[in-house]
Amino acid sequence: MIYSVSINGFEEQNIQVKIGGLRGPRLLINGEVVPKGKKRKMTVKKDDGSEVIATFKNKLVGLPNLIVDGEEINVTEPLEWYVQIWCYMSLPLIFIGGALGACFSIIACSINTIIFRSSMNVILKYILSLVVTLIAIGMYLTLGYMATQALR
């Protein structure tokens, strides 16, 4: 997903953050990816021509924040606490399901977060998120049962 960000000193430029994939977050200025240097720092030019350092600050849960010239910028507004609880309903699979449960739980939590950041109807978000969580639990139970049967 691509999120537009407004930063002081970059008013004349189109600043975006691309989240997703295996590479991690990427900063785009006017549609071009800013290359990462040492220690994942990026050098970007302000509208006045001065160069500043930009980095990403990862969070335990949610999207990373962008730090430009020491100023921390939220890429998106954080989800409300009750939405976060709803999105992470499958987290107990991590603790009771081993590696298989953790895999399905992380995938379900990620999909649920994407659903709640979308622009669809609120009721549809909750229903779709519940379906994703139930599918993750069902797949864990099915594959777990199949694995135990195969080992007999």
Side-chain angles (χ1 to χ4, degrees), residues 87-88 90 104-116 132:
C87 285
Y88 305 131
S90 65
F104 284 121
S105 177
I106 290 169
I107 291 170
C109 291
S110 298
I111 293 171
N112 287 341
T113 303
I114 291 169
I115 289 170
F116 275 95
V132 167

Side-chain angles (χ1 to χ4, degrees), residues 77-146:
E77 290 299 318
L79 296 173
E80 298 291 335
W81 66 270
Y82 52 87
V83 174
Q84 288 182 13
I85 290 173
W86 188 267
C87 285
Y88 305 131
M89 282 189 303
S90 65
L91 276 182
L93 279 181
I94 290 176
F95 305 109
I96 62 173
L100 185 63
C103 179
F104 284 121
S105 177
I106 290 169
I107 291 170
C109 291
S110 298
I111 293 171
N112 287 341
T113 303
I114 291 169
I115 289 170
F116 275 95
R117 292 198 184 281
S118 71
S119 60
M120 64 177 91
N121 184 323
V122 175
I123 295 172
L124 185 60
K125 288 179 184 181
Y126 281 99
I127 292 170
L128 193 57
S129 175
L130 180 62
V131 168
V132 167
T133 300
L134 292 175
I135 288 172
I137 293 169
M139 289 185 68
Y140 162 72
L141 292 174
T142 302
L143 288 178
Y145 176 76
M146 290 171 58

Side-chain angles (χ1 to χ4, degrees), residues 5-139:
V5 181
S6 61
I7 305 171
N8 293 333
F10 293 87
E11 288 82 12
E12 296 176 11
Q13 300 180 55
N14 182 18
I15 309 291
Q16 297 175 317
V17 175
K18 185 175 183 180
I19 306 289
L22 298 175
R23 293 186 190 179
R26 290 183 282 169
L27 181 64
L28 290 90
I29 297 182
N30 300 323
E32 294 184 25
V33 177
V34 177
K36 293 180 182 177
K38 292 182 181 179
K39 297 185 181 180
R40 307 188 94 186
K41 294 184 179 184
M42 301 164 283
T43 305
V44 293
K45 285 189 179 183
K46 288 183 160 186
D47 293 339
D48 62 5
S50 62
E51 291 186 345
V52 294
I53 301 295
T55 59
F56 285 106
K57 179 181 179 184
N58 292 322
K59 297 187 279 185
L60 183 61
V61 176
L63 299 176
N65 287 340
L66 179 65
I67 300 176
V68 178
D69 200 22
E71 179 185 349
E72 190 167 341
I73 296 116
N74 286 330
V75 174
T76 63
E77 290 299 318
L79 296 173
E80 298 291 335
W81 66 270
Y82 52 87
V83 174
Q84 288 182 13
I85 290 173
W86 188 267
C87 285
Y88 305 131
M89 282 189 303
S90 65
L91 276 182
L93 279 181
I94 290 176
F95 305 109
I96 62 173
L100 185 63
C103 179
F104 284 121
S105 177
I106 290 169
I107 291 170
C109 291
S110 298
I111 293 171
N112 287 341
T113 303
I114 291 169
I115 289 170
F116 275 95
R117 292 198 184 281
S118 71
S119 60
M120 64 177 91
N121 184 323
V122 175
I123 295 172
L124 185 60
K125 288 179 184 181
Y126 281 99
I127 292 170
L128 193 57
S129 175
L130 180 62
V131 168
V132 167
T133 300
L134 292 175
I135 288 172
I137 293 169
M139 289 185 68

